[in-house]
Amino acid sequence: MNKDQIKGTAKDIAGKTQQGAGKLVGSKEQQAKGLKKQVAGKLQKNVGDLKEAIKDTNKHKH
């Protein structure tokens, strides 16, 4: 696991929390910010996943 995977997962969780809090208090703005953070987190995690896949592929070539 690499830092992009960890940071991405953390952003996704923080975004879900922020979105849920926004729903509780009726704040569409906080809900939108939470969704945005989730998307950013998922993208960063996907970058990390891709890096791991490349690293694993390179290991198997040698």
Side-chain angles (χ1 to χ4, degrees):
M1 190 166 243
N2 61 43
K3 66 180 179 179
D4 285 313
Q5 290 171 313
I6 294 166
K7 287 181 179 180
T9 299
K11 278 184 192 173
D12 185 26
I13 292 167
K16 287 177 182 173
T17 302
Q18 186 174 13
Q19 181 189 15
K23 282 183 182 177
L24 281 175
V25 298
S27 172
K28 297 263 187 220
E29 181 183 356
Q30 289 303 314
Q31 289 179 50
K33 286 181 180 180
L35 283 170
K36 184 178 175 183
K37 194 176 285 184
Q38 286 176 60
V39 169
K42 284 180 173 66
L43 285 172
Q44 186 171 8
K45 183 181 180 302
N46 288 339
V47 167
D49 291 345
L50 183 58
K51 285 180 180 178
E52 285 292 310
I54 291 168
K55 188 168 76 174
D56 289 345
T57 300
N58 288 334
K59 279 184 189 175
H60 295 295
K61 286 182 179 178
H62 300 290

PDB file of all heavy atoms in Angstrom, residues 13-51:
ATOM      1  N   ILE A  13     -13.213   8.934   3.263  1.00  0.00           N
ATOM      2  CA  ILE A  13     -13.909   8.798   4.548  1.00  0.00           C
ATOM      3  C   ILE A  13     -14.277  10.165   5.104  1.00  0.00           C
ATOM      4  O   ILE A  13     -15.402  10.377   5.579  1.00  0.00           O
ATOM      5  CB  ILE A  13     -13.041   8.001   5.549  1.00  0.00           C
ATOM      6  CG1 ILE A  13     -12.929   6.547   5.076  1.00  0.00           C
ATOM      7  CG2 ILE A  13     -13.612   8.081   6.959  1.00  0.00           C
ATOM      8  CD1 ILE A  13     -11.865   5.734   5.798  1.00  0.00           C
ATOM      9  N   ALA A  14     -13.335  11.122   5.031  1.00  0.00           N
ATOM     10  CA  ALA A  14     -13.619  12.480   5.521  1.00  0.00           C
ATOM     11  C   ALA A  14     -14.766  13.111   4.734  1.00  0.00           C
ATOM     12  O   ALA A  14     -15.626  13.785   5.309  1.00  0.00           O
ATOM     13  CB  ALA A  14     -12.366  13.347   5.414  1.00  0.00           C
ATOM     14  N   GLY A  15     -14.796  12.863   3.434  1.00  0.00           N
ATOM     15  CA  GLY A  15     -15.874  13.398   2.598  1.00  0.00           C
ATOM     16  C   GLY A  15     -17.221  12.803   2.954  1.00  0.00           C
ATOM     17  O   GLY A  15     -18.237  13.505   2.997  1.00  0.00           O
ATOM     18  N   LYS A  16     -17.246  11.508   3.239  1.00  0.00           N
ATOM     19  CA  LYS A  16     -18.497  10.856   3.639  1.00  0.00           C
ATOM     20  C   LYS A  16     -18.990  11.427   4.967  1.00  0.00           C
ATOM     21  O   LYS A  16     -20.188  11.661   5.144  1.00  0.00           O
ATOM     22  CB  LYS A  16     -18.305   9.344   3.751  1.00  0.00           C
ATOM     23  CG  LYS A  16     -18.187   8.665   2.409  1.00  0.00           C
ATOM     24  CD  LYS A  16     -17.920   7.185   2.531  1.00  0.00           C
ATOM     25  CE  LYS A  16     -17.768   6.584   1.137  1.00  0.00           C
ATOM     26  NZ  LYS A  16     -17.349   5.209   1.160  1.00  0.00           N
ATOM     27  N   THR A  17     -18.047  11.668   5.873  1.00  0.00           N
ATOM     28  CA  THR A  17     -18.401  12.255   7.166  1.00  0.00           C
ATOM     29  C   THR A  17     -18.955  13.662   6.983  1.00  0.00           C
ATOM     30  O   THR A  17     -19.979  14.024   7.567  1.00  0.00           O
ATOM     31  CB  THR A  17     -17.162  12.283   8.096  1.00  0.00           C
ATOM     32  OG1 THR A  17     -16.674  10.949   8.239  1.00  0.00           O
ATOM     33  CG2 THR A  17     -17.497  12.854   9.456  1.00  0.00           C
ATOM     34  N   GLN A  18     -18.270  14.450   6.156  1.00  0.00           N
ATOM     35  CA  GLN A  18     -18.706  15.829   5.904  1.00  0.00           C
ATOM     36  C   GLN A  18     -20.072  15.852   5.221  1.00  0.00           C
ATOM     37  O   GLN A  18     -20.933  16.664   5.568  1.00  0.00           O
ATOM     38  CB  GLN A  18     -17.666  16.547   5.038  1.00  0.00           C
ATOM     39  CG  GLN A  18     -17.952  18.024   4.853  1.00  0.00           C
ATOM     40  CD  GLN A  18     -16.815  18.734   4.120  1.00  0.00           C
ATOM     41  OE1 GLN A  18     -15.937  18.114   3.547  1.00  0.00           O
ATOM     42  NE2 GLN A  18     -16.842  20.049   4.153  1.00  0.00           N
ATOM     43  N   GLN A  19     -20.275  14.965   4.277  1.00  0.00           N
ATOM     44  CA  GLN A  19     -21.559  14.892   3.590  1.00  0.00           C
ATOM     45  C   GLN A  19     -22.668  14.532   4.581  1.00  0.00           C
ATOM     46  O   GLN A  19     -23.735  15.130   4.581  1.00  0.00           O
ATOM     47  CB  GLN A  19     -21.511  13.871   2.458  1.00  0.00           C
ATOM     48  CG  GLN A  19     -22.816  13.776   1.685  1.00  0.00           C
ATOM     49  CD  GLN A  19     -22.837  12.620   0.705  1.00  0.00           C
ATOM     50  OE1 GLN A  19     -22.005  11.715   0.765  1.00  0.00           O
ATOM     51  NE2 GLN A  19     -23.785  12.640  -0.203  1.00  0.00           N
ATOM     52  N   GLY A  20     -22.402  13.552   5.436  1.00  0.00           N
ATOM     53  CA  GLY A  20     -23.392  13.144   6.442  1.00  0.00           C
ATOM     54  C   GLY A  20     -23.710  14.265   7.417  1.00  0.00           C
ATOM     55  O   GLY A  20     -24.871  14.481   7.770  1.00  0.00           O
ATOM     56  N   ALA A  21     -22.682  14.985   7.835  1.00  0.00           N
ATOM     57  CA  ALA A  21     -22.904  16.115   8.741  1.00  0.00           C
ATOM     58  C   ALA A  21     -23.734  17.194   8.044  1.00  0.00           C
ATOM     59  O   ALA A  21     -24.620  17.797   8.657  1.00  0.00           O
ATOM     60  CB  ALA A  21     -21.565  16.693   9.202  1.00  0.00           C
ATOM     61  N   GLY A  22     -23.450  17.416   6.787  1.00  0.00           N
ATOM     62  CA  GLY A  22     -24.225  18.394   6.021  1.00  0.00           C
ATOM     63  C   GLY A  22     -25.689  18.025   5.929  1.00  0.00           C
ATOM     64  O   GLY A  22     -26.582  18.875   6.030  1.00  0.00           O
ATOM     65  N   LYS A  23     -25.961  16.728   5.763  1.00  0.00           N
ATOM     66  CA  LYS A  23     -27.350  16.258   5.729  1.00  0.00           C
ATOM     67  C   LYS A  23     -28.022  16.496   7.077  1.00  0.00           C
ATOM     68  O   LYS A  23     -29.183  16.915   7.132  1.00  0.00           O
ATOM     69  CB  LYS A  23     -27.409  14.771   5.375  1.00  0.00           C
ATOM     70  CG  LYS A  23     -27.234  14.483   3.922  1.00  0.00           C
ATOM     71  CD  LYS A  23     -27.369  12.986   3.639  1.00  0.00           C
ATOM     72  CE  LYS A  23     -27.154  12.696   2.182  1.00  0.00           C
ATOM     73  NZ  LYS A  23     -27.205  11.258   1.881  1.00  0.00           N
ATOM     74  N   LEU A  24     -27.283  16.203   8.162  1.00  0.00           N
ATOM     75  CA  LEU A  24     -27.853  16.367   9.501  1.00  0.00           C
ATOM     76  C   LEU A  24     -28.273  17.802   9.785  1.00  0.00           C
ATOM     77  O   LEU A  24     -29.318  18.041  10.384  1.00  0.00           O
ATOM     78  CB  LEU A  24     -26.851  15.919  10.574  1.00  0.00           C
ATOM     79  CG  LEU A  24     -26.721  14.433  10.804  1.00  0.00           C
ATOM     80  CD1 LEU A  24     -25.613  14.149  11.814  1.00  0.00           C
ATOM     81  CD2 LEU A  24     -28.031  13.837  11.308  1.00  0.00           C
ATOM     82  N   VAL A  25     -27.445  18.746   9.368  1.00  0.00           N
ATOM     83  CA  VAL A  25     -27.746  20.149   9.663  1.00  0.00           C
ATOM     84  C   VAL A  25     -28.462  20.843   8.515  1.00  0.00           C
ATOM     85  O   VAL A  25     -28.766  22.031   8.591  1.00  0.00           O
ATOM     86  CB  VAL A  25     -26.465  20.950  10.044  1.00  0.00           C
ATOM     87  CG1 VAL A  25     -25.844  20.368  11.304  1.00  0.00           C
ATOM     88  CG2 VAL A  25     -25.459  21.000   8.915  1.00  0.00           C
ATOM     89  N   GLY A  26     -28.737  20.110   7.435  1.00  0.00           N
ATOM     90  CA  GLY A  26     -29.472  20.681   6.311  1.00  0.00           C
ATOM     91  C   GLY A  26     -28.629  21.626   5.460  1.00  0.00           C
ATOM     92  O   GLY A  26     -29.156  22.551   4.858  1.00  0.00           O
ATOM     93  N   SER A  27     -27.336  21.388   5.409  1.00  0.00           N
ATOM     94  CA  SER A  27     -26.444  22.260   4.640  1.00  0.00           C
ATOM     95  C   SER A  27     -26.078  21.598   3.306  1.00  0.00           C
ATOM     96  O   SER A  27     -25.278  20.673   3.251  1.00  0.00           O
ATOM     97  CB  SER A  27     -25.170  22.560   5.432  1.00  0.00           C
ATOM     98  OG  SER A  27     -24.235  23.236   4.621  1.00  0.00           O
ATOM     99  N   LYS A  28     -26.687  22.103   2.256  1.00  0.00           N
ATOM    100  CA  LYS A  28     -26.386  21.578   0.913  1.00  0.00           C
ATOM    101  C   LYS A  28     -24.927  21.855   0.554  1.00  0.00           C
ATOM    102  O   LYS A  28     -24.285  21.063  -0.130  1.00  0.00           O
ATOM    103  CB  LYS A  28     -27.303  22.219  -0.133  1.00  0.00           C
ATOM    104  CG  LYS A  28     -28.763  21.911   0.074  1.00  0.00           C
ATOM    105  CD  LYS A  28     -29.186  20.769  -0.787  1.00  0.00           C
ATOM    106  CE  LYS A  28     -30.679  20.572  -0.693  1.00  0.00           C
ATOM    107  NZ  LYS A  28     -31.028  19.172  -0.650  1.00  0.00           N
ATOM    108  N   GLU A  29     -24.396  22.999   1.035  1.00  0.00           N
ATOM    109  CA  GLU A  29     -23.013  23.359   0.747  1.00  0.00           C
ATOM    110  C   GLU A  29     -22.049  22.320   1.334  1.00  0.00           C
ATOM    111  O   GLU A  29     -21.114  21.865   0.665  1.00  0.00           O
ATOM    112  CB  GLU A  29     -22.692  24.739   1.315  1.00  0.00           C
ATOM    113  CG  GLU A  29     -21.263  25.189   1.028  1.00  0.00           C
ATOM    114  CD  GLU A  29     -20.924  26.533   1.672  1.00  0.00           C
ATOM    115  OE1 GLU A  29     -21.800  27.170   2.282  1.00  0.00           O
ATOM    116  OE2 GLU A  29     -19.754  26.915   1.560  1.00  0.00           O
ATOM    117  N   GLN A  30     -22.272  21.925   2.596  1.00  0.00           N
ATOM    118  CA  GLN A  30     -21.411  20.930   3.225  1.00  0.00           C
ATOM    119  C   GLN A  30     -21.565  19.560   2.564  1.00  0.00           C
ATOM    120  O   GLN A  30     -20.595  18.821   2.426  1.00  0.00           O
ATOM    121  CB  GLN A  30     -21.694  20.839   4.730  1.00  0.00           C
ATOM    122  CG  GLN A  30     -21.214  22.039   5.513  1.00  0.00           C
ATOM    123  CD  GLN A  30     -19.733  22.299   5.346  1.00  0.00           C
ATOM    124  OE1 GLN A  30     -18.899  21.398   5.413  1.00  0.00           O
ATOM    125  NE2 GLN A  30     -19.371  23.553   5.105  1.00  0.00           N
ATOM    126  N   GLN A  31     -22.774  19.247   2.143  1.00  0.00           N
ATOM    127  CA  GLN A  31     -22.988  17.988   1.433  1.00  0.00           C
ATOM    128  C   GLN A  31     -22.190  17.983   0.132  1.00  0.00           C
ATOM    129  O   GLN A  31     -21.529  16.996  -0.198  1.00  0.00           O
ATOM    130  CB  GLN A  31     -24.478  17.792   1.127  1.00  0.00           C
ATOM    131  CG  GLN A  31     -25.312  17.483   2.355  1.00  0.00           C
ATOM    132  CD  GLN A  31     -26.777  17.316   2.005  1.00  0.00           C
ATOM    133  OE1 GLN A  31     -27.114  16.578   1.086  1.00  0.00           O
ATOM    134  NE2 GLN A  31     -27.644  18.001   2.734  1.00  0.00           N
ATOM    135  N   ALA A  32     -22.230  19.091  -0.604  1.00  0.00           N
ATOM    136  CA  ALA A  32     -21.508  19.196  -1.875  1.00  0.00           C
ATOM    137  C   ALA A  32     -19.998  19.123  -1.647  1.00  0.00           C
ATOM    138  O   ALA A  32     -19.280  18.444  -2.395  1.00  0.00           O
ATOM    139  CB  ALA A  32     -21.878  20.497  -2.584  1.00  0.00           C
ATOM    140  N   LYS A  33     -19.515  19.813  -0.610  1.00  0.00           N
ATOM    141  CA  LYS A  33     -18.087  19.762  -0.297  1.00  0.00           C
ATOM    142  C   LYS A  33     -17.669  18.337   0.064  1.00  0.00           C
ATOM    143  O   LYS A  33     -16.587  17.881  -0.308  1.00  0.00           O
ATOM    144  CB  LYS A  33     -17.743  20.718   0.843  1.00  0.00           C
ATOM    145  CG  LYS A  33     -17.736  22.169   0.430  1.00  0.00           C
ATOM    146  CD  LYS A  33     -17.369  23.072   1.612  1.00  0.00           C
ATOM    147  CE  LYS A  33     -17.356  24.529   1.214  1.00  0.00           C
ATOM    148  NZ  LYS A  33     -17.013  25.402   2.354  1.00  0.00           N
ATOM    149  N   GLY A  34     -18.529  17.653   0.791  1.00  0.00           N
ATOM    150  CA  GLY A  34     -18.250  16.271   1.160  1.00  0.00           C
ATOM    151  C   GLY A  34     -18.170  15.363  -0.057  1.00  0.00           C
ATOM    152  O   GLY A  34     -17.280  14.520  -0.164  1.00  0.00           O
ATOM    153  N   LEU A  35     -19.096  15.552  -0.981  1.00  0.00           N
ATOM    154  CA  LEU A  35     -19.073  14.746  -2.208  1.00  0.00           C
ATOM    155  C   LEU A  35     -17.814  15.031  -3.018  1.00  0.00           C
ATOM    156  O   LEU A  35     -17.188  14.113  -3.548  1.00  0.00           O
ATOM    157  CB  LEU A  35     -20.314  15.045  -3.058  1.00  0.00           C
ATOM    158  CG  LEU A  35     -21.607  14.388  -2.580  1.00  0.00           C
ATOM    159  CD1 LEU A  35     -22.802  14.945  -3.360  1.00  0.00           C
ATOM    160  CD2 LEU A  35     -21.534  12.879  -2.738  1.00  0.00           C
ATOM    161  N   LYS A  36     -17.455  16.302  -3.086  1.00  0.00           N
ATOM    162  CA  LYS A  36     -16.243  16.689  -3.826  1.00  0.00           C
ATOM    163  C   LYS A  36     -15.006  16.031  -3.215  1.00  0.00           C
ATOM    164  O   LYS A  36     -14.139  15.522  -3.921  1.00  0.00           O
ATOM    165  CB  LYS A  36     -16.105  18.219  -3.813  1.00  0.00           C
ATOM    166  CG  LYS A  36     -14.949  18.743  -4.610  1.00  0.00           C
ATOM    167  CD  LYS A  36     -14.932  20.268  -4.578  1.00  0.00           C
ATOM    168  CE  LYS A  36     -13.699  20.812  -5.276  1.00  0.00           C
ATOM    169  NZ  LYS A  36     -13.607  22.264  -5.214  1.00  0.00           N
ATOM    170  N   LYS A  37     -14.947  16.026  -1.887  1.00  0.00           N
ATOM    171  CA  LYS A  37     -13.810  15.422  -1.187  1.00  0.00           C
ATOM    172  C   LYS A  37     -13.782  13.913  -1.430  1.00  0.00           C
ATOM    173  O   LYS A  37     -12.711  13.325  -1.602  1.00  0.00           O
ATOM    174  CB  LYS A  37     -13.913  15.718   0.310  1.00  0.00           C
ATOM    175  CG  LYS A  37     -12.645  15.452   1.083  1.00  0.00           C
ATOM    176  CD  LYS A  37     -12.774  15.853   2.538  1.00  0.00           C
ATOM    177  CE  LYS A  37     -12.715  17.358   2.693  1.00  0.00           C
ATOM    178  NZ  LYS A  37     -12.738  17.788   4.109  1.00  0.00           N
ATOM    179  N   GLN A  38     -14.959  13.286  -1.484  1.00  0.00           N
ATOM    180  CA  GLN A  38     -15.020  11.847  -1.747  1.00  0.00           C
ATOM    181  C   GLN A  38     -14.480  11.528  -3.138  1.00  0.00           C
ATOM    182  O   GLN A  38     -13.707  10.580  -3.314  1.00  0.00           O
ATOM    183  CB  GLN A  38     -16.462  11.345  -1.659  1.00  0.00           C
ATOM    184  CG  GLN A  38     -16.998  11.264  -0.249  1.00  0.00           C
ATOM    185  CD  GLN A  38     -18.452  10.845  -0.252  1.00  0.00           C
ATOM    186  OE1 GLN A  38     -18.781   9.771  -0.731  1.00  0.00           O
ATOM    187  NE2 GLN A  38     -19.323  11.684   0.287  1.00  0.00           N
ATOM    188  N   VAL A  39     -14.873  12.329  -4.114  1.00  0.00           N
ATOM    189  CA  VAL A  39     -14.411  12.110  -5.485  1.00  0.00           C
ATOM    190  C   VAL A  39     -12.894  12.273  -5.561  1.00  0.00           C
ATOM    191  O   VAL A  39     -12.194  11.451  -6.157  1.00  0.00           O
ATOM    192  CB  VAL A  39     -15.125  13.063  -6.472  1.00  0.00           C
ATOM    193  CG1 VAL A  39     -14.474  13.024  -7.845  1.00  0.00           C
ATOM    194  CG2 VAL A  39     -16.598  12.703  -6.582  1.00  0.00           C
ATOM    195  N   ALA A  40     -12.390  13.329  -4.923  1.00  0.00           N
ATOM    196  CA  ALA A  40     -10.935  13.556  -4.905  1.00  0.00           C
ATOM    197  C   ALA A  40     -10.221  12.384  -4.241  1.00  0.00           C
ATOM    198  O   ALA A  40      -9.169  11.932  -4.712  1.00  0.00           O
ATOM    199  CB  ALA A  40     -10.612  14.864  -4.189  1.00  0.00           C
ATOM    200  N   GLY A  41     -10.785  11.884  -3.172  1.00  0.00           N
ATOM    201  CA  GLY A  41     -10.194  10.754  -2.471  1.00  0.00           C
ATOM    202  C   GLY A  41     -10.175   9.496  -3.305  1.00  0.00           C
ATOM    203  O   GLY A  41      -9.177   8.769  -3.355  1.00  0.00           O
ATOM    204  N   LYS A  42     -11.285   9.233  -3.983  1.00  0.00           N
ATOM    205  CA  LYS A  42     -11.358   8.042  -4.839  1.00  0.00           C
ATOM    206  C   LYS A  42     -10.348   8.141  -5.986  1.00  0.00           C
ATOM    207  O   LYS A  42      -9.694   7.152  -6.331  1.00  0.00           O
ATOM    208  CB  LYS A  42     -12.773   7.867  -5.382  1.00  0.00           C
ATOM    209  CG  LYS A  42     -13.745   7.313  -4.347  1.00  0.00           C
ATOM    210  CD  LYS A  42     -15.142   7.166  -4.944  1.00  0.00           C
ATOM    211  CE  LYS A  42     -16.107   6.462  -4.029  1.00  0.00           C
ATOM    212  NZ  LYS A  42     -16.447   7.137  -2.814  1.00  0.00           N
ATOM    213  N   LEU A  43     -10.221   9.335  -6.567  1.00  0.00           N
ATOM    214  CA  LEU A  43      -9.256   9.526  -7.649  1.00  0.00           C
ATOM    215  C   LEU A  43      -7.830   9.294  -7.152  1.00  0.00           C
ATOM    216  O   LEU A  43      -7.028   8.616  -7.810  1.00  0.00           O
ATOM    217  CB  LEU A  43      -9.376  10.928  -8.246  1.00  0.00           C
ATOM    218  CG  LEU A  43     -10.581  11.171  -9.146  1.00  0.00           C
ATOM    219  CD1 LEU A  43     -10.692  12.643  -9.510  1.00  0.00           C
ATOM    220  CD2 LEU A  43     -10.494  10.329 -10.409  1.00  0.00           C
ATOM    221  N   GLN A  44      -7.508   9.861  -5.992  1.00  0.00           N
ATOM    222  CA  GLN A  44      -6.161   9.696  -5.451  1.00  0.00           C
ATOM    223  C   GLN A  44      -5.879   8.233  -5.133  1.00  0.00           C
ATOM    224  O   GLN A  44      -4.794   7.728  -5.392  1.00  0.00           O
ATOM    225  CB  GLN A  44      -5.965  10.557  -4.212  1.00  0.00           C
ATOM    226  CG  GLN A  44      -4.531  10.529  -3.701  1.00  0.00           C
ATOM    227  CD  GLN A  44      -4.262  11.545  -2.616  1.00  0.00           C
ATOM    228  OE1 GLN A  44      -5.174  12.191  -2.114  1.00  0.00           O
ATOM    229  NE2 GLN A  44      -3.017  11.691  -2.240  1.00  0.00           N
ATOM    230  N   LYS A  45      -6.872   7.531  -4.592  1.00  0.00           N
ATOM    231  CA  LYS A  45      -6.691   6.108  -4.299  1.00  0.00           C
ATOM    232  C   LYS A  45      -6.473   5.330  -5.594  1.00  0.00           C
ATOM    233  O   LYS A  45      -5.638   4.432  -5.656  1.00  0.00           O
ATOM    234  CB  LYS A  45      -7.881   5.540  -3.544  1.00  0.00           C
ATOM    235  CG  LYS A  45      -7.663   4.069  -3.178  1.00  0.00           C
ATOM    236  CD  LYS A  45      -8.837   3.472  -2.459  1.00  0.00           C
ATOM    237  CE  LYS A  45      -8.606   2.025  -2.119  1.00  0.00           C
ATOM    238  NZ  LYS A  45      -8.324   1.155  -3.270  1.00  0.00           N
ATOM    239  N   ASN A  46      -7.214   5.691  -6.654  1.00  0.00           N
ATOM    240  CA  ASN A  46      -7.037   5.016  -7.938  1.00  0.00           C
ATOM    241  C   ASN A  46      -5.632   5.237  -8.492  1.00  0.00           C
ATOM    242  O   ASN A  46      -5.048   4.335  -9.075  1.00  0.00           O
ATOM    243  CB  ASN A  46      -8.093   5.464  -8.945  1.00  0.00           C
ATOM    244  CG  ASN A  46      -9.458   4.903  -8.623  1.00  0.00           C
ATOM    245  OD1 ASN A  46      -9.593   3.918  -7.915  1.00  0.00           O
ATOM    246  ND2 ASN A  46     -10.499   5.533  -9.146  1.00  0.00           N
ATOM    247  N   VAL A  47      -5.096   6.443  -8.314  1.00  0.00           N
ATOM    248  CA  VAL A  47      -3.715   6.719  -8.724  1.00  0.00           C
ATOM    249  C   VAL A  47      -2.770   5.792  -7.955  1.00  0.00           C
ATOM    250  O   VAL A  47      -1.852   5.196  -8.530  1.00  0.00           O
ATOM    251  CB  VAL A  47      -3.352   8.212  -8.496  1.00  0.00           C
ATOM    252  CG1 VAL A  47      -1.849   8.435  -8.616  1.00  0.00           C
ATOM    253  CG2 VAL A  47      -4.104   9.097  -9.474  1.00  0.00           C
ATOM    254  N   GLY A  48      -3.006   5.680  -6.660  1.00  0.00           N
ATOM    255  CA  GLY A  48      -2.188   4.786  -5.842  1.00  0.00           C
ATOM    256  C   GLY A  48      -2.298   3.344  -6.280  1.00  0.00           C
ATOM    257  O   GLY A  48      -1.304   2.614  -6.332  1.00  0.00           O
ATOM    258  N   ASP A  49      -3.521   2.916  -6.604  1.00  0.00           N
ATOM    259  CA  ASP A  49      -3.729   1.543  -7.081  1.00  0.00           C
ATOM    260  C   ASP A  49      -2.951   1.298  -8.373  1.00  0.00           C
ATOM    261  O   ASP A  49      -2.336   0.251  -8.555  1.00  0.00           O
ATOM    262  CB  ASP A  49      -5.219   1.268  -7.321  1.00  0.00           C
ATOM    263  CG  ASP A  49      -6.036   1.219  -6.040  1.00  0.00           C
ATOM    264  OD1 ASP A  49      -5.449   1.114  -4.941  1.00  0.00           O
ATOM    265  OD2 ASP A  49      -7.281   1.298  -6.148  1.00  0.00           O
ATOM    266  N   LEU A  50      -2.987   2.291  -9.273  1.00  0.00           N
ATOM    267  CA  LEU A  50      -2.285   2.177 -10.540  1.00  0.00           C
ATOM    268  C   LEU A  50      -0.771   2.084 -10.310  1.00  0.00           C
ATOM    269  O   LEU A  50      -0.087   1.263 -10.921  1.00  0.00           O
ATOM    270  CB  LEU A  50      -2.623   3.372 -11.435  1.00  0.00           C
ATOM    271  CG  LEU A  50      -2.023   3.378 -12.842  1.00  0.00           C
ATOM    272  CD1 LEU A  50      -2.445   2.142 -13.622  1.00  0.00           C
ATOM    273  CD2 LEU A  50      -2.447   4.631 -13.580  1.00  0.00           C
ATOM    274  N   LYS A  51      -0.264   2.919  -9.404  1.00  0.00           N
ATOM    275  CA  LYS A  51       1.169   2.871  -9.083  1.00  0.00           C
ATOM    276  C   LYS A  51       1.564   1.488  -8.555  1.00  0.00           C
ATOM    277  O   LYS A  51       2.604   0.957  -8.913  1.00  0.00           O
ATOM    278  CB  LYS A  51       1.525   3.939  -8.043  1.00  0.00           C
ATOM    279  CG  LYS A  51       1.560   5.340  -8.606  1.00  0.00           C
ATOM    280  CD  LYS A  51       1.914   6.331  -7.506  1.00  0.00           C
ATOM    281  CE  LYS A  51       1.957   7.755  -8.007  1.00  0.00           C
ATOM    282  NZ  LYS A  51       2.256   8.710  -6.914  1.00  0.00           N
TER     283      LYS A  51
END
